[in-house]
Amino acid sequence: MTLVASPRRPWLLPAGLVLLGLIPTLGGGIRLGELSAGGPVTPDNVRFFDMPLPVVAHIFGAVIYALVGAFQFVPSLRRGPWHRRSGRVLVVAGLTVALSGIWMALWYDMPASDDGLPMTIMRVGVGGVMAFAIGYAVLAVRRRDFTTHRAWMIRAYALAMGAGTQAFTHIPFAVAGVTPDDTGRFAAMAAGWAINAAVAEWAIRRS
């Protein structure tokens, strides 16, 4: 899985991806802290206390996928066995993220502030595309089609990193001092995934 790294600064891109991944990592850490401490329980998080396994799996999978995946973009690491070994871990972590995300969107009892059919459809769609991308990349590398493998792993990683970009697409609401309604939340989340998907396609075509 490669993006476009500067030959003079090969660590610049992975460092930026690690920083982007820290945003959802911190959010996940806060959620795990709430669960381990037993509260406080609110209408917005009661579903996690009622059934913690899906969200815990999602958080751990996302942290591994975001942070370990960033180092797949270091050219020197791609030339050794680390790339293949970590790649196997990333396949499991990525599928955990995608499938647990679909499960939560479909079967968690969502609060009114986070509900809505369009949001559910979008979350399930993104999770489905991410799972497909990882599966297709695995099939491609098994037939030694490394170009296709690289392209689909980049797409999967871009979708997974949408949570980090979404923190920035929500900034206009914070600056305006308003809480986004369902339409605003949908637009901000869709924009985060769309931005990452566009950057991924640009990188695939450039490389």
Side-chain angles (χ1 to χ4, degrees):
M1 182 168 60
T2 59
L3 201 55
V4 180
S6 169
R8 296 182 179 180
R9 299 183 180 89
W11 289 92
L12 187 61
L13 175 60
L17 292 173
V18 167
L19 291 175
L20 186 64
L22 285 178
I23 297 174
T25 297
L26 292 175
I30 293 172
R31 182 70 68 196
L32 291 176
E34 292 176 349
L35 292 172
S36 63
V41 180
T42 69
D44 288 336
N45 67 15
V46 65
R47 64 192 185 279
F48 302 131
F49 289 92
D50 290 341
M51 191 172 294
L53 181 59
V55 70
V56 171
H58 190 76
I59 291 169
F60 275 104
V63 171
I64 294 170
Y65 196 68
L67 300 185
V68 176
F71 293 94
Q72 294 284 66
F73 299 101
V74 180
S76 60
L77 293 179
R78 289 181 49 78
R79 291 190 288 270
W82 185 90
H83 176 74
R84 292 189 299 274
R85 293 170 183 170
S86 62
R88 296 185 181 99
V89 174
L90 290 171
V91 166
V92 175
L95 289 175
T96 299
V97 173
L99 298 179
S100 62
I102 293 172
W103 194 99
M104 291 189 292
L106 290 176
W107 284 288
Y108 264 153
D109 185 13
M110 305 296 282
S113 60
D114 200 28
D115 205 355
L117 182 59
M119 192 79 73
T120 298
I121 293 173
M122 181 170 64
R123 286 171 170 156
V124 171
V126 169
V129 172
M130 181 179 167
F132 170 83
I134 294 172
Y136 197 73
V138 170
L139 293 176
V141 79
R142 287 177 64 87
R143 62 176 185 264
R144 304 189 67 80
D145 183 354
F146 300 114
T147 300
T148 299
H149 168 76
R150 179 185 68 241
W152 284 97
M153 287 301 282
I154 290 175
R155 291 176 178 123
Y157 188 77
L159 292 177
M161 296 295 281
T165 307
Q166 285 158 2
F168 295 97
T169 56
H170 278 83
I171 287 178
F173 295 103
V175 171
V178 299
T179 300
D181 57 11
D182 289 347
T183 301
R185 278 175 46 77
F186 180 90
M189 294 184 69
W193 277 312
I195 290 169
N196 282 18
V199 171
E201 294 303 319
W202 169 81
I204 290 167
R205 282 156 178 73
R206 179 175 176 182
S207 61

